[in-house]
Structure formats: C-alpha cells, structure tokens
Amino acid sequence: MTNSAAGKPNLGRFGSFGRGVTPEQAKEIESLGYGAVWVGGSPPAELEWVEPILEQTTTLRVATGIVNIWTAPADAVAESFHRIDSAYPGRFLLGIGVGHPEAHAEYRRPYEALTQYLDRLERHGVPANRRVVAALGPRVLKLSAQRSAGAHPYLTTPEHTAQARELIGPSAFLAPEHKVVLTTDADQARQVGRKALDIYFNLANYRNNWKRLGFSDDDITRPGSDRLVDALVAYGTPDVIAARLKQHLDAGADHVAVQVLTRGDKLVAALAALAGPLGLAPDA
C-alpha cells in the first residue's frame, strides 16, 4: 500500500528531541512554540509515558524516535497506539525503526522484517499517515514514503535531507534530527559533540550513511574529524545555530527535531534561547 500525503503530520517546523522529558518540561516546551517532543531510545511497547505528556499539554505532538521493531512487538505497539489516539486524537506519531545489527542478535534481513512489521501495524489499523520510519539509505527512505507518512532520519546533515527529499518525493513527510550545543567555543562544542557521537562510530548504518555523504574513513573513525563533528553538531550563537537548523527546511524538511546536548535541567532554558531565532511564537 502506498501512503497518500492526505495526511502529512503537522508537527510544526521544529520540535525537541531527547530522552526522559517530563510532562512539566513538555508543557514549557509547548509554551515556547515548539510543535512536538520526540522521545529517543527504544521504549517498550506499552508506551505508558506518552499520556502524561499529552495530558499536561494542549496542542503539542509526541513522537517516538524510535520504537524498535526487534524489542517492541507490533501487536502490542498497535494496541498502545489506539489507546493513546483514543484519548488524544491526532497528537501521537509512531516512529519505528530496525535499530542496528551490532545491538540485536535477531537482526536478520532487516528490510523484510520492517515490511512485515508495517504489515502487522496495518492489520491492526494503525494508519499509514500516523507512523514514520527511521530511514537513512535509499531503499528504506523509499519504503518510508510508500508505507508510512515518511522518514525520520537521525544523525544526518542538510545535504542528506536534500537527497532524502529527492528520493521520497514532495508529498512524504520528512523530519530529520540535528544535534545542538549552545556555546560559541568550538573546542567545547566539539568535545560535547564527540561524547554524544562516540557510540555511533561502530554502528555500520551510520558509518555507511556518512560515507554516502562524502566523508572519508578518516573522518568517520573514532573520535571523528572536526569536519564530521561540525556537520552533525550545530554550535555558536543561537542565531548561528538557528541558521544551521533552517538549512534542513531549505533542503526540503517539513520538521526538524532539535536535540540539545545538555543536562536535563537545562533543556528548557536552551530551547528558550533558540525559540526566537527559530521564529517560533511563544504562548501569550
């Protein structure tokens, strides 16, 4: 089945990406004008943390970035989707993905497993336009447009966003993630960035994607070149960071999930500093 764009998700231009956002933080993030919170990691199928966030907010969307198909059974995920959507219609976006072969012993024929998972979600009535797929390479990007609302690429660049838009066409939803460090000190930003990137250097999916983007073996070898870190982690003044994030929109993104690399208790303040330069309209 091919997804129709009759139903592109509306998450606004920018959202916050992180782990463990509290309902109280979500309420503040919404008040700043962000359209969504993306919760990373591989949450269990029950998704019990979603309703408390939606309960504390009024228009904010919640998205998973991502539910892992190897650890969260599709039937249970579909049940959770319907529970959430019944209580908060239209405010939850289900992001799913195949994870990484290095992390899952079950990781075999991932493309086939992903299509089977999408089949099961479909049989259980999860609408195509209410799910997105974590996608980096051409084959899964195309699948995301055919079988879901679109793609949620992680750890990429505006150049990748442009390539992805070309592959998935104009009607599919495209929501890349981009990391941010609020500092004008390049050395400090790169230190923080490298710490966040460290776990990804041994994951083939990311390494292969960076090579497709033109980075060399030297660039993508731990701890990563300055060129790679600067491409993946935006830093500088809020205006400079906002300009970098907007490059994704210019390249064809519908929405950008902004991952601020900071302590949880500083997240809202960092997002507040970016809200104005990003052109967000805070609640009166």
Side-chain angles (χ1 to χ4, degrees), residues 175-250:
E177 173 269 355
H178 203 107
K179 292 176 172 50
V180 164
V181 180
L182 263 76
T183 180
T184 57
D185 184 328
D187 289 339
Q188 180 186 2
R190 289 167 179 161
Q191 180 181 8
V192 173
R194 283 191 169 94
K195 183 177 180 181
L197 296 176
D198 187 68
I199 63 171
Y200 300 104
F201 286 112
N202 286 332
L203 298 181
N205 290 354
Y206 291 110
R207 290 173 58 87
N208 291 338
N209 191 55
W210 295 334
K211 292 180 82 168
R212 283 192 295 265
L213 290 170
F215 291 100
S216 68
D217 286 332
D218 287 342
D219 286 323
I220 67 174
T221 298
R222 183 181 280 118
S225 69
D226 287 352
R227 175 175 173 247
L228 178 70
V229 175
D230 290 354
L232 299 173
V233 181
Y235 61 87
T237 66
D239 285 332
V240 168
I241 293 171
R244 177 63 170 166
L245 297 174
K246 289 176 182 177
Q247 288 177 6
H248 285 283
L249 300 179
D250 294 339

Side-chain angles (χ1 to χ4, degrees), residues 68-70 74 96-98 106-121 139 143 147:
N68 191 306
I69 69 167
W70 307 109
I96 67 167
V98 298
E106 307 93 335
Y107 199 96
R108 301 183 187 90
R109 302 178 66 86
Y111 185 88
E112 181 179 308
L114 181 57
T115 60
Q116 291 172 354
Y117 196 95
L118 288 164
D119 288 343
R120 289 196 292 273
L121 291 179
R139 194 180 186 201
L143 178 71
R147 299 294 308 277

